Amino acid sequence: MPSYRAPLDDIRFLLDHVIGVDQLATLPGHEDATPEMIHTVLAEGARFCEEVLAPINQTGDAEGCIYHEGSVTTPAGFREAYRAYCDGGWPGMVAPAAFGGQDLPRLMRIVLDEMMCAANLSFSMYELLSHGVTGALERWGSDALKARFLPRMVDGSWTGTMCLTEANAGTDLGLIRTRAVPAANGHFRLTGTKIFISAGEHDLTENIVHLVLAKLPDAPAGTRGISLFLVPKRIVQEDGSCGEANGVRCSSIEHKMGIRANATCVLDFDDAEGFLIGEPHKGMRAMFTMMNSARLNVGMQGIGLAEVSYQNALAYARDRRQGRASGGGADTGAEADPILVHPDVRRMLMTMKAYTEGLRALAVWVGLQLDLEARHPDAGARAAAADVLALMTPVIKAFGTDTAFEVTNLALQCFGGYGYIRETGMEQFVRDARITQIYEGTNGVQAMDLLGRKVPEDDGRLVRHFLGLVHADLAAAVAVPAIAALAARVEQAAQALASTTKQVLTRAQTNPDEIGAAASDYLRLFGLVATGWMWIRIAMAAVRTEAGAPQRTIEKLGTARFFVERLLPTVHALAAQISAGAEPIMAVDLS
Amino acid sequence: MPSYRAPLDDIRFLLDHVIGVDQLATLPGHEDATPEMIHTVLAEGARFCEEVLAPINQTGDAEGCIYHEGSVTTPAGFREAYRAYCDGGWPGMVAPAAFGGQDLPRLMRIVLDEMMCAANLSFSMYELLSHGVTGALERWGSDALKARFLPRMVDGSWTGTMCLTEANAGTDLGLIRTRAVPAANGHFRLTGTKIFISAGEHDLTENIVHLVLAKLPDAPAGTRGISLFLVPKRIVQEDGSCGEANGVRCSSIEHKMGIRANATCVLDFDDAEGFLIGEPHKGMRAMFTMMNSARLNVGMQGIGLAEVSYQNALAYARDRRQGRASGGGADTGAEADPILVHPDVRRMLMTMKAYTEGLRALAVWVGLQLDLEARHPDAGARAAAADVLALMTPVIKAFGTDTAFEVTNLALQCFGGYGYIRETGMEQFVRDARITQIYEGTNGVQAMDLLGRKVPEDDGRLVRHFLGLVHADLAAAVAVPAIAALAARVEQAAQALASTTKQVLTRAQTNPDEIGAAASDYLRLFGLVATGWMWIRIAMAAVRTEAGAPQRTIEKLGTARFFVERLLPTVHALAAQISAGAEPIMAVDLS
């Protein structure tokens, strides 16, 4: 069985020395969120993930969910774990105090997300979307709805879902057919079928709160005619208690490649009672409140799976003995050396380490922006944080999960044949990771969001701002002898990003296909540059703190070097591929 | 359910116009193997794969193998399919006529392998190793053993296995503990436990012939002390009939990520009767006869899975409608356009197509060398073919399967959420493909075989010979206006391969870790250059045959361009990564 230890040391180093988590306590309302408090809470969360969630991950996969006549039974241990999760107060960690939450910085939740997903992705998915529902309700819901639903969401009594997809409407939500008609009491009645609804039905809570995209009778065509509704599984009575069943039924669950312990449901809405959230026909705007938070979370899922895979591969490589080091046996007392001595095994391990730690740094930096955007007293600082979030959300989601899938596969590979059998658990990480490249908008959709929407926005303001941050850090790094050469190579990569950006946007003025043709390669290029920049920041922090942790400084500088010299060069291949333009992609007739 | 149509048109084009299959009929003993005869037989094989094997692929995965008290039951339909396979005479296709075979060119088998693996990888694995066993027995067995075993292997009455791996000896076979002791009658008695034995037990045939690596009492340590033994599941009597059970028992089967319809067995040998194959302590040499053939076959497994994945992704992309083409709706009569119009979807499809067709060309060219090596009247030509085989076997195995895994994942991605559910069958291709990167020597082992053994051999003779072939074709291609620019870029890539080769070999003289540190990137670089070269050959053939097939010429030139402009640039990133050397990989202390 795989093991998991939350990487608290790395997290602490990143928060304290790379992104400056002490900023949080300067934000209004977060005065108590000192580094000490943050690390204490995270250590408690880590223990919960290690001791409660990780032990039921592999059994949950083997058992899966059971569907019977509209009900879903979760695997053994999930109900108890969910109860412990609620007892610990975790569901309300970042929710407003007015509704019973603890109002902690959202960055803390981002870090907890990584640990939960590393320990048990399927479990984490039961409550992941609750946060999106809570957020959307808080921002767009009426006071009456908030009062009736939020306290029970915040204390974990009820969970939430996002009901977007239909059989004929996935990426293209404009095609949805679910209808909502006004009812006498100001409610609405919804009818239609939603598919791929994560945690759409389960036995963890007495009620489930669905946020549903549907069209009103007078709706304009396409996405501009979509409204958002809250539809509870059970009718919630005036006193807040759960009454009779609403017209929502789970008609089946999917048999999937992975996340088998999470129920992916087909939900039939049949004249179900619902409440409008936000304005009529403006549902997409409200939905994006949820979706952006969920996309960042999916990136954390990837990082979590990368981390747990790496940990287990490293442990195996230290333990498994096959062959001899190329310069002669390293351990003459044994009949073979640990496979860690083989350069090709180390290449895999270093690749995993450099991606995982680099991505984590990037993700916590982005996570910090959530709090800066929400609470910074200066409007300019809030806007800058919002810009970073808009730009980086698709990068964290898509680059994070593409890379995580690569990392889980490298980890499996380190196990050789043992990696392919279920017992070791490595192939579960691969199967679980594979969904993260698809849901909450496929990674192709993320790439289009980045290059088709975020990058061109306001004549490239977001990218300029980002590259400004990068250049400033690199300029400082060039003055540090141990880092100067690496920083120069990241600078080259950043320049390749800048020139590629300009080239694509210019071409797109005459051929709109240039955006789509470049998008996926561009997102990867962007992710590599951003992670390379993070490695320079990590290296700088390691040098700054060398006195207190000389070994860590050596390790971080060495990993930074590995990233820059052995992974970052792909940037230039991607730039060359993008510069070939759309024509080679579009020319062959595939119809 | 996924569908499969054998790509006979592409195969015919490659055989007839790219590699010159008409050479085969000039080889002694293959006079009947005219292109017409070859394509007739392959078309028959294609029908068998499409009609018999493909329909039981998904059901076989769902059902899996059942283990009960030493016996394995294969999924529904497998027994009938195996009988039909034998009735069709397929097991003896390339076996010697003296033992009942048809003695057809081995290239034909390579092509059939691709089709069988595309249709049903698990099924193909039941008889894959029979060919290796037949080959090893034919070459190294005594006349008595040949007479007793070969006819029943050749007609498919019995299948074969390769028993190498033990719990503590995978890549490092020198560590095996299975013992063989001489018995009175000239036989041996084997005791030990082998794991990961594909098709080690099943209900398809009355007997199974195991080739087993074991150590004799006086064996030297390490791989120089390994001998090879033939151990039948049931004792074969003087008259050739199967008698009592031998001391071999399947004690369990693995629960695996994929190839679930093939039984991967733990085999316990307990004083089992065995026969020495070849000389004592020379078992590794005999085993390599099997292993090289199996490695080439695993490459074909990858290409088959890539092909079937691509076919289904293309069909889905033509059918599924989401969103509008970026330049405005392409199909104004429908509410959305087929996703094929989106550049990012086309990028995925073109990537799959360019890899799959390019790899197939490379593989059939390598397959042709099997026959040239075996039958060419000129010793120099035989030696040249042997050189190509030695060099290219690890490339086909590792680059073929790494790329195939990428292709199956791209195909899954085209399906969005539907790709992740079992019903569409796309995730099975991913799970099945994953093992091909591991078994028959992990892809890391292949990379070490290429760069640590094949490339340095005789001061680089094999690579020089290969690059000579490449340069000659590229020189001719530069004279063809439609291809000249592409050929120039492949030439740059080939030069990067040449200079990287020289650089690594020079460095390795002072630091042996340089080989292992470069190996995997080097193999990928090599594979990309070889596939790029093949695309130039394909383009040349397409131009030569333009009069008869103008559409094909446009398609092949367009795909060649896509490969060269959008995939090949990675070569230069790989060269840069390799040139960073071993230090960034080895410096960080991971112990």
Side-chain angles (χ1 to χ4, degrees):
Chain A
M1 193 174 100
S3 64
Y4 175 62
R5 291 278 297 178
L8 290 174
D9 285 349
D10 193 49
I11 289 167
R12 176 155 208 158
F13 168 69
L14 293 176
L15 296 189
D16 290 357
H17 301 298
V18 179
I19 69 159
V21 78
D22 50 356
Q23 295 168 72
L24 284 178
T26 69
L27 299 177
H30 283 331
E31 291 78 3
D32 295 340
T34 60
E36 264 337 291
M37 181 271 246
I38 289 171
H39 295 302
T40 303
V41 173
L42 290 176
E44 210 177 312
R47 201 164 49 241
F48 176 77
C49 294
E50 293 166 359
E51 294 175 6
V52 179
L53 298 187
I56 55 171
N57 187 44
Q58 200 175 15
T59 51
D61 179 68
E63 200 178 325
C65 288
I66 312 291
Y67 175 83
H68 182 67
E69 292 187 358
S71 294
V72 169
T73 307
T74 56
F78 273 53
R79 288 168 59 93
E80 294 75 10
Y82 188 75
R83 206 169 309 128
Y85 180 75
C86 294
D87 289 348
W90 300 109
M93 189 173 170
V94 299
F99 299 103
Q102 295 150 57
D103 217 3
L104 291 170
R106 294 174 69 182
L107 170 62
M108 291 174 66
R109 179 71 216 190
I110 291 286
V111 176
L112 180 68
D113 282 341
E114 183 203 312
M115 299 191 288
M116 284 181 64
C117 297
N120 196 323
L121 178 58
S122 283
F123 179 90
S124 79
M125 295 281 300
Y126 282 109
E127 70 95 43
L128 160 67
L129 297 163
S130 295
H131 299 284
V133 173
T134 305
L137 198 53
E138 194 192 336
R139 173 136 182 221
W140 305 100
S142 69
D143 288 343
L145 280 180
K146 287 185 199 177
R148 200 186 299 183
F149 287 92
L150 276 179
R152 310 304 301 274
M153 304 284 303
V154 167
D155 71 10
S157 301
W158 304 341
T159 61
T161 76
M162 280 166 69
C163 300
L164 289 71
T165 304
E166 300 179 9
N168 290 306
T171 296
D172 187 354
L173 289 171
L175 302 179
I176 62 165
R177 289 173 193 166
T178 297
R179 298 280 150 192
V181 294
N185 50 6
H187 300 167
F188 292 82
R189 292 279 166 187
L190 278 81
T191 302
T193 299
K194 295 288 180 178
I195 67 167
F196 298 157
I197 307 308
S198 293
E201 176 57 44
H202 57 72
D203 56 1
L204 303 181
T205 54
E206 60 172 349
N207 207 356
I208 300 173
V209 180
H210 305 292
L211 282 195
V212 186
L213 293 185
K215 293 196 169 182
L216 289 164
D218 60 341
T223 52
R224 276 171 300 187
I226 295 178
S227 305
L228 182 66
F229 300 87
L230 183 156
V231 181
K233 174 183 163 184
R234 289 172 67 191
I235 302 290
V236 177
Q237 293 167 311
E238 289 296 317
D239 65 355
S241 67
C242 291
E244 62 186 307
N246 196 358
V248 193
R249 186 174 185 275
C250 173
S251 56
S252 67
I253 61 174
E254 307 293 349
H255 299 97
K256 307 185 299 293
M257 183 183 195
I259 52 165
R260 286 167 41 77
N262 192 275
T264 305
C265 302
V266 177
L267 289 187
D268 291 330
F269 293 84
D270 182 11
D271 211 32
E273 181 179 288
F275 307 89
L276 183 66
I277 302 288
E279 295 170 50
H281 317 318
K282 304 280 189 192
M284 289 301 283
R285 195 175 59 174
M287 209 59 177
F288 265 106
T289 310
M290 298 179 65
M291 221 142 39
N292 280 330
S293 140
R295 286 175 174 180
L296 211 50
N297 183 282
V298 174
M300 300 317 294
Q301 296 178 357
I303 296 170
L305 291 169
E307 171 67 33
V308 69
S309 300
Y310 169 64
Q311 285 184 13
N312 283 277
L314 180 60
Y316 186 80
R318 286 170 174 161
D319 186 57
R320 172 79 171 171
R321 290 172 178 271
Q322 294 283 283
R324 285 294 186 191
S326 53
D331 180 357
T332 50
E335 63 180 356
D337 292 327
I339 60 173
L340 189 63
V341 302
H342 302 306
D344 191 58
V345 173
R346 291 183 81 98
R347 171 192 63 83
M348 294 193 277
L349 291 167
M350 287 300 298
T351 302
M352 293 181 239
K353 180 179 171 68
Y355 273 137
T356 305
E357 295 177 3
L359 277 168
R360 176 179 299 122
L362 193 61
V364 294
W365 173 69
V366 173
L368 177 67
Q369 313 304 314
L370 290 169
D371 296 306
L372 298 178
E373 185 204 14
R375 309 264 180 143
H376 201 287
D378 176 61
R382 288 198 302 275
D387 277 359
V388 169
L389 282 167
L391 187 70
M392 298 306 296
T393 295
V395 176
I396 297 286
K397 197 283 184 182
F399 182 67
T401 60
D402 283 347
T403 306
F405 185 64
E406 192 180 329
V407 170
T408 59
N409 272 293
L410 286 169
L412 188 160
Q413 193 73 16
C414 286
F415 277 71
Y418 287 102
Y420 198 66
I421 64 173
R422 297 218 157 177
E423 198 180 337
T424 52
M426 301 307 287
E427 59 89 43
Q428 183 188 347
F429 297 136
V430 172
R431 287 185 290 106
D432 284 357
R434 189 63 184 85
I435 190 59
T436 64
Q437 300 172 286
I438 299 170
Y439 61 17
E440 302 304 339
T442 66
N443 285 0
V445 167
Q446 306 300 323
M448 287 300 287
D449 180 44
L450 176 66
L451 188 55
R453 192 176 304 155
K454 305 302 177 50
V455 168
E457 194 174 317
D458 197 10
D459 199 26
R461 189 188 75 241
L462 276 56
V463 185
R464 272 198 310 280
H465 173 63
F466 170 77
L467 285 173
L469 297 174
V470 172
H471 288 311
D473 282 334
L474 295 177
V478 165
V480 179
I483 305 174
L486 300 181
R489 294 188 62 168
V490 176
E491 177 63 36
Q492 282 170 11
Q495 282 168 13
L497 173 61
S499 60
T500 300
T501 305
K502 192 177 290 183
Q503 184 189 51
V504 175
L505 294 183
T506 303
R507 286 180 178 178
Q509 289 167 0
T510 49
N511 181 2
D513 279 341
E514 292 288 342
I515 296 288
S520 282
D521 282 347
Y522 181 86
L523 186 143
R524 182 156 185 81
L525 198 171
F526 200 113
L528 285 165
V529 170
T531 310
W533 164 51
M534 274 296 150
W535 271 113
I536 298 301
R537 286 184 64 148
I538 293 169
M540 292 284 280
V543 167
R544 275 199 309 273
T545 58
E546 186 168 10
Q551 279 309 315
R552 183 180 67 207
T553 304
I554 293 170
E555 182 199 317
K556 294 294 188 188
L557 282 176
T559 311
R561 180 180 171 195
F562 177 86
F563 184 87
V564 168
E565 297 189 0
R566 305 254 353 175
L567 300 176
L568 192 61
T570 297
V571 158
H572 303 290
L574 292 165
Q577 288 165 209
I578 293 169
S579 81
E583 207 185 305
I585 287 179
M586 304 306 284
V588 174
D589 182 9
L590 295 174
S591 64
Chain B
M1 192 174 101
S3 64
Y4 175 62
R5 293 277 300 175
L8 290 174
D9 285 348
D10 193 50
I11 289 167
R12 177 155 208 158
F13 167 69
L14 293 176
L15 296 188
D16 290 357
H17 302 298
V18 178
I19 68 158
V21 79
D22 51 356
Q23 295 168 70
L24 285 177
T26 69
L27 299 177
H30 282 333
E31 291 80 2
D32 295 339
T34 60
E36 264 337 293
M37 181 272 245
I38 289 170
H39 295 301
T40 303
V41 172
L42 291 177
E44 211 176 311
R47 203 163 46 242
F48 176 78
C49 294
E50 292 167 359
E51 294 174 5
V52 179
L53 297 188
I56 55 172
N57 187 44
Q58 201 176 15
T59 51
D61 177 69
E63 200 178 327
C65 288
I66 311 289
Y67 174 84
H68 182 68
E69 291 185 1
S71 294
V72 169
T73 306
T74 56
F78 273 53
R79 288 169 60 93
E80 294 75 10
Y82 188 76
R83 206 169 309 127
Y85 180 75
C86 295
D87 290 347
W90 299 108
M93 191 173 170
V94 299
F99 299 103
Q102 295 150 57
D103 216 1
L104 290 170
R106 294 175 68 182
L107 170 61
M108 292 174 65
R109 179 72 216 188
I110 291 285
V111 176
L112 180 68
D113 282 342
E114 183 204 312
M115 299 191 289
M116 285 181 62
C117 298
N120 197 322
L121 178 59
S122 283
F123 178 91
S124 79
M125 295 282 301
Y126 282 108
E127 70 95 44
L128 160 66
L129 298 162
S130 296
H131 298 283
V133 173
T134 305
L137 198 53
E138 194 192 336
R139 174 135 183 221
W140 304 100
S142 69
D143 287 343
L145 280 181
K146 287 185 198 176
R148 200 188 297 183
F149 286 91
L150 277 179
R152 310 303 302 275
M153 303 283 303
V154 167
D155 70 10
S157 300
W158 305 341
T159 60
T161 76
M162 281 166 69
C163 299
L164 288 72
T165 305
E166 300 179 9
N168 290 306
T171 295
D172 187 354
L173 290 171
L175 303 178
I176 62 166
R177 289 170 194 169
T178 297
R179 299 281 149 193
V181 295
N185 51 6
H187 300 167
F188 293 81
R189 292 279 166 187
L190 278 81
T191 301
T193 298
K194 296 288 181 178
I195 66 166
F196 297 157
I197 308 308
S198 294
E201 176 59 42
H202 58 72
D203 56 2
L204 304 180
T205 56
E206 60 172 349
N207 208 355
I208 300 173
V209 179
H210 306 292
L211 283 194
V212 186
L213 293 184
K215 293 196 169 183
L216 289 164
D218 60 342
T223 53
R224 277 171 299 188
I226 294 178
S227 304
L228 182 66
F229 299 88
L230 182 156
V231 181
K233 171 183 166 183
R234 290 171 64 190
I235 302 291
V236 177
Q237 294 168 310
E238 289 296 318
D239 64 358
S241 65
C242 291
E244 61 186 308
N246 197 0
V248 193
R249 185 173 186 277
C250 173
S251 56
S252 67
I253 61 174
E254 305 294 350
H255 298 99
K256 307 186 300 293
M257 183 183 194
I259 53 166
R260 288 169 38 79
N262 193 275
T264 305
C265 302
V266 178
L267 290 186
D268 291 331
F269 294 84
D270 181 13
D271 213 32
E273 181 178 286
F275 308 90
L276 184 67
I277 302 288
E279 295 169 51
H281 317 317
K282 304 279 190 193
M284 288 301 283
R285 194 175 58 174
M287 210 57 178
F288 266 106
T289 311
M290 300 179 66
M291 222 142 39
N292 280 330
S293 140
R295 286 176 174 181
L296 211 49
N297 182 283
V298 174
M300 302 316 294
Q301 297 178 356
I303 297 171
L305 290 170
E307 171 67 33
V308 69
S309 299
Y310 169 63
Q311 286 184 14
N312 284 278
L314 180 59
Y316 186 78
R318 287 170 174 161
D319 187 55
R320 171 79 171 171
R321 290 172 179 269
Q322 293 284 282
R324 287 294 186 189
S326 52
D331 180 355
T332 49
E335 62 179 358
D337 292 327
I339 59 171
L340 189 63
V341 303
H342 302 307
D344 191 58
V345 173
R346 292 183 81 100
R347 171 191 64 82
M348 295 195 276
L349 292 167
M350 288 299 299
T351 302
M352 294 181 236
K353 180 180 171 69
Y355 273 136
T356 306
E357 295 177 4
L359 276 168
R360 177 180 298 122
L362 192 63
V364 295
W365 173 69
V366 173
L368 177 68
Q369 314 302 317
L370 290 168
D371 296 306
L372 298 177
E373 183 203 17
R375 309 267 181 141
H376 201 286
D378 177 61
R382 288 199 301 276
D387 277 0
V388 170
L389 282 168
L391 187 69
M392 298 305 296
T393 295
V395 176
I396 297 286
K397 197 282 185 184
F399 181 68
T401 59
D402 282 346
T403 306
F405 186 63
E406 191 180 330
V407 170
T408 58
N409 272 294
L410 286 170
L412 188 161
Q413 194 72 16
C414 285
F415 276 71
Y418 287 102
Y420 197 68
I421 64 173
R422 297 217 154 176
E423 196 180 338
T424 53
M426 301 308 289
E427 59 90 43
Q428 184 189 346
F429 297 136
V430 172
R431 287 185 291 108
D432 284 358
R434 190 63 186 84
I435 190 59
T436 64
Q437 300 172 284
I438 299 170
Y439 62 15
E440 302 304 340
T442 64
N443 285 359
V445 167
Q446 306 299 322
M448 287 301 287
D449 181 44
L450 176 68
L451 187 56
R453 192 177 304 156
K454 306 301 177 53
V455 167
E457 194 174 317
D458 197 9
D459 200 26
R461 190 188 75 243
L462 277 53
V463 184
R464 272 198 310 280
H465 173 63
F466 170 77
L467 284 173
L469 298 174
V470 171
H471 289 310
D473 282 334
L474 294 177
V478 165
V480 179
I483 305 175
L486 300 182
R489 295 188 61 166
V490 176
E491 178 62 36
Q492 284 172 10
Q495 282 169 11
L497 172 61
S499 61
T500 299
T501 306
K502 192 176 291 181
Q503 183 189 52
V504 174
L505 294 183
T506 304
R507 288 180 177 177
Q509 288 168 1
T510 49
N511 180 4
D513 278 341
E514 292 286 343
I515 297 288
S520 283
D521 282 347
Y522 181 86
L523 187 141
R524 181 155 186 83
L525 198 171
F526 200 113
L528 285 165
V529 169
T531 309
W533 164 52
M534 273 297 149
W535 270 112
I536 298 300
R537 287 184 64 149
I538 293 169
M540 292 287 278
V543 167
R544 275 198 310 273
T545 59
E546 186 169 8
Q551 278 308 315
R552 183 179 66 207
T553 306
I554 293 170
E555 181 198 318
K556 292 294 188 189
L557 284 176
T559 311
R561 180 181 169 195
F562 177 87
F563 185 87
V564 168
E565 298 190 358
R566 304 255 352 176
L567 300 176
L568 193 61
T570 297
V571 158
H572 303 291
L574 292 165
Q577 288 165 208
I578 293 168
S579 81
E583 208 186 303
I585 288 179
M586 305 305 284
V588 175
D589 182 8
L590 295 174
S591 64

